[in-house]
Amino acid sequence: MSNKEYSKYHSSVQIFLVKKEKGKTLVLLQKRKGGWADNMWEASACGHIDHGEGPIDASIHEALEEIGVIIEKKDARFIHIVFKEVGGCDHAYYNFSFICTKWKNEPSVGEPDKCYEIKWFDINKLPKNIINDRKIALKEIDKNFYSEIFPKK
């Protein structure tokens, strides 16, 4: 898909795998590399919405590509949308976030050119170097479904 096709939607998706373990809620994050947000913690899987695809389907296909898990549509639950104005650009993104508590396969790094580590974190103790709108989505689970982010002037 060309950049021109991506620009039609200006939308992306994030899906967070979440599990309970020893009384804690854990979320799987991936550490980015390859150009954008290097060394930042990211959602379990993320990506642009392809032409002809909706946000749920996009999050499911990204999870398969990036961490090798199979998610059924009924198991992806919408949690948040962020309107994010991009500094230095003439457009904004709409970032749709989902969580999933049921999947098939053990998560693993599926795109080593974009991610070099995956790790489970206590949802109440997220790393400091997590991408801001991902942190907002996780902090707002079941509280507020919408946020806005504008570049600092």
Side-chain angles (χ1 to χ4, degrees):
M1 174 165 285
S2 71
N3 285 338
K4 186 175 182 181
E5 286 174 302
Y6 279 133
S7 68
K8 289 179 183 176
Y9 289 159
H10 300 298
S11 299
S12 69
V13 293
Q14 295 85 45
I15 191 159
F16 299 92
L17 300 189
V18 175
K19 68 179 181 178
K20 298 279 188 183
E21 191 173 278
K22 298 179 183 175
K24 295 181 181 180
T25 301
L26 303 178
V27 58
L28 183 72
L29 300 177
Q30 61 172 299
K31 203 163 201 184
R32 294 195 59 92
K33 74 172 191 176
W36 183 81
D38 284 344
N39 298 310
M40 297 287 288
W41 288 101
E42 168 67 278
S44 307
C46 63
H48 290 95
I49 299 173
D50 290 341
H51 184 73
E53 173 178 66
I56 294 174
D57 289 331
S59 65
I60 289 169
H61 103 241
E62 292 294 345
L64 182 60
E65 286 178 3
E66 294 184 11
I67 55 174
V69 298
I70 298 168
I71 297 171
E72 292 188 34
K73 201 168 188 169
K74 65 179 178 57
D75 295 321
R77 182 173 68 92
F78 171 77
I79 58 168
H80 201 81
I81 185 169
V82 175
F83 171 84
K84 184 177 181 178
E85 190 172 277
V86 182
C89 296
D90 62 352
H91 65 273
Y93 267 90
Y94 294 90
N95 295 340
F96 297 86
S97 297
F98 298 86
I99 63 169
C100 181
T101 58
K102 184 180 176 186
W103 59 87
K104 295 177 185 169
N105 299 338
E106 188 64 30
S108 62
V109 174
E111 294 183 326
D113 57 320
K114 296 179 184 176
C115 163
Y116 63 89
E117 181 181 3
I118 58 172
K119 184 176 177 182
W120 292 97
F121 289 90
D122 183 326
I123 202 164
N124 296 310
K125 296 179 183 176
L126 297 172
K128 290 182 182 183
N129 60 330
I130 185 172
I131 297 170
N132 188 41
D133 56 293
R134 281 45 163 184
K135 178 172 74 173
I136 290 168
L138 288 170
K139 294 287 185 185
E140 295 296 321
I141 290 175
D142 297 328
K143 295 178 192 169
N144 179 16
F145 296 106
Y146 176 76
S147 297
E148 293 180 347
I149 299 174
F150 294 90
K152 294 180 181 174
K153 295 180 181 184

